[in-house]
Amino acid sequence: MASSADAKVPANRPCCICGGTESRLVHEKEYPLYDYPGAFALRLCDGCGLLFNSPRLADEGIARLYGANYYFFRQRPAREFLRIREMWERTVAVAEGMVPRREVLEIGSAKGFLLAVMQGAGWAVQGVELSPFAADFARDRLGVPTFTGRVEEFVEAGGRSYPLVLAIDVIEHVLDPRLFVASLARLVETGGVVLIDTPNGAAANIERQGERWKGFNPFHVFLFSVENLSRLLGEHGFTVETSFSYGNAPAGPGEPPEPTSGARRLARAVLEGAGVLGLLRRGRDTVVDAVDHARLPRLVRESVEAVRPSRGYAASEDSRLPLAEGQRGDNIVVIARRR
């Protein structure tokens, strides 16, 4: 029997960007490995082109998706530090020349890997992270000051303003983007900047790959374009100064589907049901955690050295790939200044 958390409700009517009430169904996908009940439906707003999940799970149902299921928190630190070296050139390297001093607030700071590298490079850092597990890791393992809770709670708790606020892979997850951006406006000082990095709802590869596009997953509730995100930021006192897309390689027409095969899904479901997969994960994680904990200081130091000569995203090979023109790559970065 379905629980109340499995119930789905209509959402985003009127649209949180343009106020329109007309939209159309464009994609449906199933996520059995995440225990997502039924189809995950994505609609396209006729007024502004916002992609959004509707009908969607009730709030408690969405919250239940996170935890052990959430792929991001299971990544090994060594892999994440490599990813942050790539992230640096399209975020910190671009934004640091736009702010008067090296103070940063990161919303959705996860385990604190990016902030640990920024701290090692001379920045004063502060994180805000919803997951107690991830926030504890950042504080205890990396010495990154981190507030546990939602950004709105950080504001209510008296969080001060900063010259630079980062929101990387966050806004696509939030259930009320308008409230989220209003909170950002209270945390960016006058003249400061916010940097938002998010999957691109106007990506050309959506047209090529349809429901197989890698930006679709059950954790992504809203998918923005540069245009509709800029509109939302403008309504909250920001002026967009620069934007670009990355992941600018066109997908090939013959690429295989991304979902796991039916046989593998069945095998995994059997192991999950027997509790075997959970035991294997816990045993693996215990060993990996001990090894990675010992390596963390070295990983931070190596990452700080690796990012120091960064020339910024405009010098990267990806910035010259076909989808860069028109900002049609798989992800977008939007940097806006607080008026």
Side-chain angles (χ1 to χ4, degrees), residues 11-201:
N12 203 43
R13 187 174 181 180
C15 174
C16 64
I17 302 293
C18 68
T21 58
E22 300 300 321
S23 64
R24 52 195 167 90
L25 179 67
V26 289
H27 298 288
E28 278 191 312
K29 191 171 181 178
E30 294 191 353
Y31 296 102
L33 295 184
Y34 295 103
D35 296 325
Y36 190 91
F40 182 85
L42 280 160
R43 304 188 68 85
L44 181 73
C45 175
D46 290 340
C48 65
L50 180 70
L51 277 173
F52 61 97
N53 171 218
S54 182
R56 73 179 186 215
L57 293 176
D59 291 0
E60 64 269 23
I62 292 178
R64 198 176 65 178
L65 289 176
Y66 291 87
N69 270 334
Y70 192 37
Y71 59 93
F72 188 78
F73 292 153
R74 295 204 307 267
Q75 300 290 2
R76 293 188 60 176
R79 178 176 177 178
E80 285 305 293
F81 278 109
L82 288 175
R83 189 177 74 91
I84 280 161
R85 296 178 193 183
E86 299 173 358
M87 183 191 299
W88 187 282
E89 72 175 11
R90 63 178 183 262
T91 57
V92 182
V94 178
E96 65 180 339
M98 303 173 69
V99 296
R101 61 190 188 280
R102 289 186 158 200
E103 294 181 14
V104 61
L105 171 70
E106 185 182 11
I107 309 301
S109 51
K111 290 184 174 181
F113 295 127
L114 175 59
L115 290 184
V117 178
M118 294 185 75
Q119 189 166 247
W123 288 75
V125 305
Q126 173 66 49
V128 175
E129 171 53 45
L130 182 62
S131 163
F133 161 72
D136 287 347
F137 185 100
R139 284 189 297 265
D140 299 341
R141 303 290 184 87
L142 293 170
V144 171
T146 306
F147 175 88
T148 305
R150 295 178 296 112
V151 62
E152 297 86 2
E153 293 170 330
F154 181 70
V155 171
E156 292 168 2
R160 66 178 181 85
S161 59
Y162 290 78
L164 175 61
V165 174
L166 302 176
I168 301 171
D169 295 326
V170 175
I171 195 169
E172 65 271 20
H173 295 261
V174 303
L175 304 182
D176 189 340
R178 186 166 288 277
L179 177 60
F180 179 77
V181 173
S183 296
L184 293 182
R186 296 180 62 181
L187 293 171
V188 179
E189 65 185 36
T190 301
V193 300
V194 62
L195 183 151
I196 297 177
D197 183 333
T198 187
N200 185 5

